[in-house]
Amino acid sequence: MSSSATQNRSSRTPLIAGNWKMNLDHLQAVATVQKLHWTLKDAGHETGSVQVAVFPPFTDIRSVQTLIDADKIPFELGAQDLSAYDSGAYTGEVSGAFLAKLGVGLVIIGHSERRAYHHEGDDVVGAKVKAALKHGLTPVICVGETAEDLERFGGSAVPVSQLEKALEGVPASADIVVAYEPVWAIGSGQAATPAQAQEVAAALRGVLARVLDDDAAARTRILYGGSVKSSNIASFMREPDVDGALVGGASLVVDEFAAIVRYQKHVGV
Ligand code: PGA
């Protein structure tokens, strides 16, 4: 990795992304987004200093999009998955074309829950990354090691290999986000240490430089995910290669998620 990649941290707008997983129906989604917007506004949160994204279930997306458009709410809208295919006989799947038409800008790909419960391997992840880019969506490529991987290979080896495979055939100019999510830290209450997150994030930035180019490495945001909360977010954001967070459980609690978005203020980073 060129050292310029790390030094360019200031050019990367921090991204705090809420992955709601299979929680909140469309009415609860609308109420949650409205409350988050007002909570941040009341707290004087400066729009633009941190980019906020929500990833509701598919059934909520239309309602959330309508609300965001009508009230000019400055949140990015994301989806939790997409099909590798454009259209056709794929029962239950959702095309990136449909998501793009609904104003979705980001899509999570390769979340460990999809890799584990839906047996999505590196080939499927790679195909979905290409499908997202084809439809103008920014893939949020999730990588991370299990507790067993950590013990056997250390923290970086598995995420590095997953990212290398996900980036095969991706042009250096592509707009992507990478999320480092150690599987053992997701939903466990036991987050990685900031030093662990930094070590892997730096290795992933090295992959971006090697497989894409130095500019992609300097420009691309790398998030940490896994038991992020308001009490630990600032310690991650102090690390030079961590540009934001992918937040699961804590994104469902509006005051907690708002406090995570406001990490600069409430902990003074
Ligand atoms: P968590 O989930 O914040 O509940 O650990 C993170 C994720 O799975 O993206």
mmCIF file with all atom_site columns, all heavy atoms in Angstrom, residues 19 21 108 111-113 181 185-189 225-228 246-250, ligand 1:
data_model
loop_
_atom_site.group_PDB
_atom_site.id
_atom_site.type_symbol
_atom_site.label_atom_id
_atom_site.label_alt_id
_atom_site.label_comp_id
_atom_site.label_asym_id
_atom_site.label_entity_id
_atom_site.label_seq_id
_atom_site.pdbx_PDB_ins_code
_atom_site.Cartn_x
_atom_site.Cartn_y
_atom_site.Cartn_z
_atom_site.occupancy
_atom_site.B_iso_or_equiv
_atom_site.pdbx_formal_charge
_atom_site.auth_seq_id
_atom_site.auth_comp_id
_atom_site.auth_asym_id
_atom_site.auth_atom_id
_atom_site.pdbx_PDB_model_num
ATOM   1   N N   . ASN A 1 19  ? -27.592 -1.262  9.136  1.00 0.00 ? 19  ASN A N   1
ATOM   2   C CA  . ASN A 1 19  ? -28.093 -2.485  8.511  1.00 0.00 ? 19  ASN A CA  1
ATOM   3   C C   . ASN A 1 19  ? -29.195 -3.044  9.415  1.00 0.00 ? 19  ASN A C   1
ATOM   4   O O   . ASN A 1 19  ? -28.904 -3.624  10.451 1.00 0.00 ? 19  ASN A O   1
ATOM   5   C CB  . ASN A 1 19  ? -26.937 -3.485  8.373  1.00 0.00 ? 19  ASN A CB  1
ATOM   6   C CG  . ASN A 1 19  ? -27.408 -4.855  7.905  1.00 0.00 ? 19  ASN A CG  1
ATOM   7   O OD1 . ASN A 1 19  ? -28.540 -5.015  7.437  1.00 0.00 ? 19  ASN A OD1 1
ATOM   8   N ND2 . ASN A 1 19  ? -26.540 -5.841  8.024  1.00 0.00 ? 19  ASN A ND2 1
ATOM   9   N N   . LYS A 1 21  ? -31.204 -5.420  8.933  1.00 0.00 ? 21  LYS A N   1
ATOM   10  C CA  . LYS A 1 21  ? -31.441 -6.872  8.793  1.00 0.00 ? 21  LYS A CA  1
ATOM   11  C C   . LYS A 1 21  ? -32.954 -7.117  8.660  1.00 0.00 ? 21  LYS A C   1
ATOM   12  O O   . LYS A 1 21  ? -33.645 -6.282  8.091  1.00 0.00 ? 21  LYS A O   1
ATOM   13  C CB  . LYS A 1 21  ? -30.795 -7.628  9.952  1.00 0.00 ? 21  LYS A CB  1
ATOM   14  C CG  . LYS A 1 21  ? -29.317 -7.229  10.132 1.00 0.00 ? 21  LYS A CG  1
ATOM   15  C CD  . LYS A 1 21  ? -28.545 -8.107  11.056 1.00 0.00 ? 21  LYS A CD  1
ATOM   16  C CE  . LYS A 1 21  ? -27.108 -7.605  11.128 1.00 0.00 ? 21  LYS A CE  1
ATOM   17  N NZ  . LYS A 1 21  ? -26.244 -8.442  11.942 1.00 0.00 ? 21  LYS A NZ  1
ATOM   18  N N   . ILE A 1 108 ? -25.615 -3.837  0.162  1.00 0.00 ? 108 ILE A N   1
ATOM   19  C CA  . ILE A 1 108 ? -24.719 -4.721  0.909  1.00 0.00 ? 108 ILE A CA  1
ATOM   20  C C   . ILE A 1 108 ? -24.560 -6.022  0.119  1.00 0.00 ? 108 ILE A C   1
ATOM   21  O O   . ILE A 1 108 ? -25.548 -6.601  -0.341 1.00 0.00 ? 108 ILE A O   1
ATOM   22  C CB  . ILE A 1 108 ? -25.299 -5.014  2.313  1.00 0.00 ? 108 ILE A CB  1
ATOM   23  C CG1 . ILE A 1 108 ? -25.310 -3.733  3.159  1.00 0.00 ? 108 ILE A CG1 1
ATOM   24  C CG2 . ILE A 1 108 ? -24.505 -6.124  3.015  1.00 0.00 ? 108 ILE A CG2 1
ATOM   25  C CD1 . ILE A 1 108 ? -26.040 -3.878  4.494  1.00 0.00 ? 108 ILE A CD1 1
ATOM   26  N N   . HIS A 1 111 ? -22.630 -10.132 3.003  1.00 0.00 ? 111 HIS A N   1
ATOM   27  C CA  . HIS A 1 111 ? -22.722 -10.105 4.468  1.00 0.00 ? 111 HIS A CA  1
ATOM   28  C C   . HIS A 1 111 ? -22.528 -11.524 4.995  1.00 0.00 ? 111 HIS A C   1
ATOM   29  O O   . HIS A 1 111 ? -22.975 -12.488 4.370  1.00 0.00 ? 111 HIS A O   1
ATOM   30  C CB  . HIS A 1 111 ? -24.082 -9.545  4.899  1.00 0.00 ? 111 HIS A CB  1
ATOM   31  C CG  . HIS A 1 111 ? -24.133 -9.268  6.366  1.00 0.00 ? 111 HIS A CG  1
ATOM   32  N ND1 . HIS A 1 111 ? -24.339 -10.259 7.293  1.00 0.00 ? 111 HIS A ND1 1
ATOM   33  C CD2 . HIS A 1 111 ? -23.963 -8.120  7.069  1.00 0.00 ? 111 HIS A CD2 1
ATOM   34  C CE1 . HIS A 1 111 ? -24.295 -9.728  8.509  1.00 0.00 ? 111 HIS A CE1 1
ATOM   35  N NE2 . HIS A 1 111 ? -24.072 -8.428  8.396  1.00 0.00 ? 111 HIS A NE2 1
ATOM   36  N N   . SER A 1 112 ? -21.910 -11.653 6.135  1.00 0.00 ? 112 SER A N   1
ATOM   37  C CA  . SER A 1 112 ? -21.590 -12.998 6.644  1.00 0.00 ? 112 SER A CA  1
ATOM   38  C C   . SER A 1 112 ? -22.849 -13.835 6.872  1.00 0.00 ? 112 SER A C   1
ATOM   39  O O   . SER A 1 112 ? -22.794 -15.062 6.807  1.00 0.00 ? 112 SER A O   1
ATOM   40  C CB  . SER A 1 112 ? -20.771 -12.909 7.921  1.00 0.00 ? 112 SER A CB  1
ATOM   41  O OG  . SER A 1 112 ? -21.534 -12.317 8.942  1.00 0.00 ? 112 SER A OG  1
ATOM   42  N N   . GLU A 1 113 ? -23.984 -13.159 7.134  1.00 0.00 ? 113 GLU A N   1
ATOM   43  C CA  . GLU A 1 113 ? -25.224 -13.929 7.308  1.00 0.00 ? 113 GLU A CA  1
ATOM   44  C C   . GLU A 1 113 ? -25.679 -14.523 5.977  1.00 0.00 ? 113 GLU A C   1
ATOM   45  O O   . GLU A 1 113 ? -26.246 -15.613 5.935  1.00 0.00 ? 113 GLU A O   1
ATOM   46  C CB  . GLU A 1 113 ? -26.300 -13.041 7.950  1.00 0.00 ? 113 GLU A CB  1
ATOM   47  C CG  . GLU A 1 113 ? -25.977 -12.800 9.426  1.00 0.00 ? 113 GLU A CG  1
ATOM   48  C CD  . GLU A 1 113 ? -26.471 -11.490 9.998  1.00 0.00 ? 113 GLU A CD  1
ATOM   49  O OE1 . GLU A 1 113 ? -27.363 -10.855 9.407  1.00 0.00 ? 113 GLU A OE1 1
ATOM   50  O OE2 . GLU A 1 113 ? -25.943 -11.083 11.062 1.00 0.00 ? 113 GLU A OE2 1
ATOM   51  N N   . GLU A 1 181 ? -16.052 -6.890  8.672  1.00 0.00 ? 181 GLU A N   1
ATOM   52  C CA  . GLU A 1 181 ? -16.916 -7.330  9.759  1.00 0.00 ? 181 GLU A CA  1
ATOM   53  C C   . GLU A 1 181 ? -16.467 -8.708  10.253 1.00 0.00 ? 181 GLU A C   1
ATOM   54  O O   . GLU A 1 181 ? -16.846 -9.730  9.663  1.00 0.00 ? 181 GLU A O   1
ATOM   55  C CB  . GLU A 1 181 ? -18.361 -7.432  9.279  1.00 0.00 ? 181 GLU A CB  1
ATOM   56  C CG  . GLU A 1 181 ? -18.947 -6.119  8.827  1.00 0.00 ? 181 GLU A CG  1
ATOM   57  C CD  . GLU A 1 181 ? -20.462 -6.111  8.978  1.00 0.00 ? 181 GLU A CD  1
ATOM   58  O OE1 . GLU A 1 181 ? -21.130 -6.953  8.365  1.00 0.00 ? 181 GLU A OE1 1
ATOM   59  O OE2 . GLU A 1 181 ? -20.952 -5.275  9.743  1.00 0.00 ? 181 GLU A OE2 1
ATOM   60  N N   . ALA A 1 185 ? -17.559 -10.913 15.862 1.00 0.00 ? 185 ALA A N   1
ATOM   61  C CA  . ALA A 1 185 ? -17.933 -9.651  16.525 1.00 0.00 ? 185 ALA A CA  1
ATOM   62  C C   . ALA A 1 185 ? -19.378 -9.249  16.221 1.00 0.00 ? 185 ALA A C   1
ATOM   63  O O   . ALA A 1 185 ? -19.940 -8.383  16.898 1.00 0.00 ? 185 ALA A O   1
ATOM   64  C CB  . ALA A 1 185 ? -16.988 -8.536  16.091 1.00 0.00 ? 185 ALA A CB  1
ATOM   65  N N   . ILE A 1 186 ? -19.980 -9.880  15.203 1.00 0.00 ? 186 ILE A N   1
ATOM   66  C CA  . ILE A 1 186 ? -21.329 -9.467  14.779 1.00 0.00 ? 186 ILE A CA  1
ATOM   67  C C   . ILE A 1 186 ? -22.370 -9.969  15.774 1.00 0.00 ? 186 ILE A C   1
ATOM   68  O O   . ILE A 1 186 ? -22.467 -11.172 16.032 1.00 0.00 ? 186 ILE A O   1
ATOM   69  C CB  . ILE A 1 186 ? -21.643 -9.992  13.361 1.00 0.00 ? 186 ILE A CB  1
ATOM   70  C CG1 . ILE A 1 186 ? -20.720 -9.312  12.346 1.00 0.00 ? 186 ILE A CG1 1
ATOM   71  C CG2 . ILE A 1 186 ? -23.104 -9.756  13.019 1.00 0.00 ? 186 ILE A CG2 1
ATOM   72  C CD1 . ILE A 1 186 ? -20.891 -9.818  10.928 1.00 0.00 ? 186 ILE A CD1 1
ATOM   73  N N   . GLY A 1 187 ? -23.124 -9.033  16.333 1.00 0.00 ? 187 GLY A N   1
ATOM   74  C CA  . GLY A 1 187 ? -24.222 -9.370  17.228 1.00 0.00 ? 187 GLY A CA  1
ATOM   75  C C   . GLY A 1 187 ? -23.784 -10.027 18.523 1.00 0.00 ? 187 GLY A C   1
ATOM   76  O O   . GLY A 1 187 ? -24.625 -10.502 19.290 1.00 0.00 ? 187 GLY A O   1
ATOM   77  N N   . SER A 1 188 ? -22.498 -10.036 18.797 1.00 0.00 ? 188 SER A N   1
ATOM   78  C CA  . SER A 1 188 ? -21.994 -10.763 19.976 1.00 0.00 ? 188 SER A CA  1
ATOM   79  C C   . SER A 1 188 ? -21.780 -9.847  21.169 1.00 0.00 ? 188 SER A C   1
ATOM   80  O O   . SER A 1 188 ? -21.577 -10.322 22.288 1.00 0.00 ? 188 SER A O   1
ATOM   81  C CB  . SER A 1 188 ? -20.661 -11.441 19.631 1.00 0.00 ? 188 SER A CB  1
ATOM   82  O OG  . SER A 1 188 ? -19.667 -10.445 19.412 1.00 0.00 ? 188 SER A OG  1
ATOM   83  N N   . GLY A 1 189 ? -21.783 -8.550  20.930 1.00 0.00 ? 189 GLY A N   1
ATOM   84  C CA  . GLY A 1 189 ? -21.454 -7.613  22.009 1.00 0.00 ? 189 GLY A CA  1
ATOM   85  C C   . GLY A 1 189 ? -19.955 -7.494  22.225 1.00 0.00 ? 189 GLY A C   1
ATOM   86  O O   . GLY A 1 189 ? -19.488 -6.665  22.999 1.00 0.00 ? 189 GLY A O   1
ATOM   87  N N   . GLY A 1 225 ? -17.458 -3.139  11.091 1.00 0.00 ? 225 GLY A N   1
ATOM   88  C CA  . GLY A 1 225 ? -18.762 -3.563  11.609 1.00 0.00 ? 225 GLY A CA  1
ATOM   89  C C   . GLY A 1 225 ? -18.606 -4.722  12.563 1.00 0.00 ? 225 GLY A C   1
ATOM   90  O O   . GLY A 1 225 ? -17.723 -5.581  12.397 1.00 0.00 ? 225 GLY A O   1
ATOM   91  N N   . GLY A 1 226 ? -19.479 -4.758  13.553 1.00 0.00 ? 226 GLY A N   1
ATOM   92  C CA  . GLY A 1 226 ? -19.459 -5.831  14.551 1.00 0.00 ? 226 GLY A CA  1
ATOM   93  C C   . GLY A 1 226 ? -19.542 -5.242  15.939 1.00 0.00 ? 226 GLY A C   1
ATOM   94  O O   . GLY A 1 226 ? -18.536 -4.769  16.470 1.00 0.00 ? 226 GLY A O   1
ATOM   95  N N   . SER A 1 227 ? -20.781 -5.213  16.496 1.00 0.00 ? 227 SER A N   1
ATOM   96  C CA  . SER A 1 227 ? -21.021 -4.705  17.852 1.00 0.00 ? 227 SER A CA  1
ATOM   97  C C   . SER A 1 227 ? -20.573 -3.258  18.037 1.00 0.00 ? 227 SER A C   1
ATOM   98  O O   . SER A 1 227 ? -20.058 -2.885  19.097 1.00 0.00 ? 227 SER A O   1
ATOM   99  C CB  . SER A 1 227 ? -20.374 -5.631  18.896 1.00 0.00 ? 227 SER A CB  1
ATOM   100 O OG  . SER A 1 227 ? -20.960 -6.922  18.824 1.00 0.00 ? 227 SER A OG  1
ATOM   101 N N   . VAL A 1 228 ? -20.794 -2.444  16.984 1.00 0.00 ? 228 VAL A N   1
ATOM   102 C CA  . VAL A 1 228 ? -20.518 -1.006  17.114 1.00 0.00 ? 228 VAL A CA  1
ATOM   103 C C   . VAL A 1 228 ? -21.632 -0.378  17.940 1.00 0.00 ? 228 VAL A C   1
ATOM   104 O O   . VAL A 1 228 ? -22.810 -0.681  17.757 1.00 0.00 ? 228 VAL A O   1
ATOM   105 C CB  . VAL A 1 228 ? -20.443 -0.331  15.726 1.00 0.00 ? 228 VAL A CB  1
ATOM   106 C CG1 . VAL A 1 228 ? -20.443 1.193   15.861 1.00 0.00 ? 228 VAL A CG1 1
ATOM   107 C CG2 . VAL A 1 228 ? -19.200 -0.799  14.974 1.00 0.00 ? 228 VAL A CG2 1
ATOM   108 N N   . LEU A 1 246 ? -20.535 -0.088  9.822  1.00 0.00 ? 246 LEU A N   1
ATOM   109 C CA  . LEU A 1 246 ? -21.762 -0.779  9.427  1.00 0.00 ? 246 LEU A CA  1
ATOM   110 C C   . LEU A 1 246 ? -22.351 -1.302  10.737 1.00 0.00 ? 246 LEU A C   1
ATOM   111 O O   . LEU A 1 246 ? -21.730 -2.121  11.417 1.00 0.00 ? 246 LEU A O   1
ATOM   112 C CB  . LEU A 1 246 ? -21.452 -1.912  8.442  1.00 0.00 ? 246 LEU A CB  1
ATOM   113 C CG  . LEU A 1 246 ? -22.646 -2.658  7.847  1.00 0.00 ? 246 LEU A CG  1
ATOM   114 C CD1 . LEU A 1 246 ? -23.637 -1.711  7.179  1.00 0.00 ? 246 LEU A CD1 1
ATOM   115 C CD2 . LEU A 1 246 ? -22.165 -3.688  6.806  1.00 0.00 ? 246 LEU A CD2 1
ATOM   116 N N   . VAL A 1 247 ? -23.523 -0.772  11.069 1.00 0.00 ? 247 VAL A N   1
ATOM   117 C CA  . VAL A 1 247 ? -24.091 -0.981  12.400 1.00 0.00 ? 247 VAL A CA  1
ATOM   118 C C   . VAL A 1 247 ? -25.349 -1.833  12.289 1.00 0.00 ? 247 VAL A C   1
ATOM   119 O O   . VAL A 1 247 ? -26.259 -1.490  11.530 1.00 0.00 ? 247 VAL A O   1
ATOM   120 C CB  . VAL A 1 247 ? -24.448 0.390   13.027 1.00 0.00 ? 247 VAL A CB  1
ATOM   121 C CG1 . VAL A 1 247 ? -24.948 0.206   14.465 1.00 0.00 ? 247 VAL A CG1 1
ATOM   122 C CG2 . VAL A 1 247 ? -23.259 1.341   12.969 1.00 0.00 ? 247 VAL A CG2 1
ATOM   123 N N   . GLY A 1 248 ? -25.415 -2.916  13.018 1.00 0.00 ? 248 GLY A N   1
ATOM   124 C CA  . GLY A 1 248 ? -26.599 -3.769  12.998 1.00 0.00 ? 248 GLY A CA  1
ATOM   125 C C   . GLY A 1 248 ? -27.536 -3.409  14.134 1.00 0.00 ? 248 GLY A C   1
ATOM   126 O O   . GLY A 1 248 ? -28.303 -2.448  14.057 1.00 0.00 ? 248 GLY A O   1
ATOM   127 N N   . GLY A 1 249 ? -27.466 -4.160  15.224 1.00 0.00 ? 249 GLY A N   1
ATOM   128 C CA  . GLY A 1 249 ? -28.398 -4.005  16.350 1.00 0.00 ? 249 GLY A CA  1
ATOM   129 C C   . GLY A 1 249 ? -28.589 -2.566  16.804 1.00 0.00 ? 249 GLY A C   1
ATOM   130 O O   . GLY A 1 249 ? -29.735 -2.120  17.011 1.00 0.00 ? 249 GLY A O   1
ATOM   131 N N   . ALA A 1 250 ? -27.505 -1.822  16.940 1.00 0.00 ? 250 ALA A N   1
ATOM   132 C CA  . ALA A 1 250 ? -27.612 -0.458  17.469 1.00 0.00 ? 250 ALA A CA  1
ATOM   133 C C   . ALA A 1 250 ? -28.280 0.497   16.483 1.00 0.00 ? 250 ALA A C   1
ATOM   134 O O   . ALA A 1 250 ? -28.700 1.595   16.872 1.00 0.00 ? 250 ALA A O   1
ATOM   135 C CB  . ALA A 1 250 ? -26.228 0.064   17.862 1.00 0.00 ? 250 ALA A CB  1
HETATM 136 P P1  . PGA B 2 .   ? -24.076 -5.758  14.862 1.00 0.00 ? 1   PGA B P1  1
HETATM 137 O O1  . PGA B 2 .   ? -24.167 -6.205  13.322 1.00 0.00 ? 1   PGA B O1  1
HETATM 138 O O2  . PGA B 2 .   ? -23.803 -4.273  14.879 1.00 0.00 ? 1   PGA B O2  1
HETATM 139 O O3  . PGA B 2 .   ? -25.427 -6.104  15.436 1.00 0.00 ? 1   PGA B O3  1
HETATM 140 O O4  . PGA B 2 .   ? -22.958 -6.534  15.470 1.00 0.00 ? 1   PGA B O4  1
HETATM 141 C C1  . PGA B 2 .   ? -23.327 -5.658  12.333 1.00 0.00 ? 1   PGA B C1  1
HETATM 142 C C2  . PGA B 2 .   ? -23.643 -6.237  10.986 1.00 0.00 ? 1   PGA B C2  1
HETATM 143 O O5  . PGA B 2 .   ? -23.964 -7.430  10.896 1.00 0.00 ? 1   PGA B O5  1
HETATM 144 O O6  . PGA B 2 .   ? -23.593 -5.514  9.969  1.00 0.00 ? 1   PGA B O6  1
#
